[in-house]
Amino acid sequence: MNKLTYFTVTLLIIIWAIGFFFFETSILINILFVLALCIMIYEIIKDDINNKQ
């Protein structure tokens, strides 16, 4: 994964953790976490496909 993707995923996970543990926010924080996981999984799959070719 490139640096921008790592930064984005890290930022989303940090925002999720802050919102989950310090504020009583609801579904928005969980959506950010799922979004970060989806980006990470997509990039891993994309890298695997590119490395096989």
Side-chain angles (χ1 to χ4, degrees):
M1 287 193 280
N2 61 18
K3 290 181 182 182
L4 181 60
T5 306
Y6 277 125
F7 177 75
T8 304
V9 169
T10 305
L11 184 65
L12 288 173
I13 291 174
I14 289 171
I15 291 171
W16 172 82
I18 290 170
F20 187 76
F21 293 113
F22 296 112
F23 303 109
E24 296 288 329
T25 56
S26 60
I27 193 72
L28 179 65
I29 296 302
N30 291 318
I31 290 173
L32 289 175
F33 184 65
V34 169
L35 181 64
L37 287 177
C38 289
I39 291 171
M40 198 165 59
I41 291 170
Y42 170 76
E43 288 294 327
I44 290 170
I45 291 171
K46 187 175 81 170
D47 288 344
D48 284 346
I49 291 172
N50 287 338
N51 288 338
K52 288 181 181 179
Q53 293 179 354

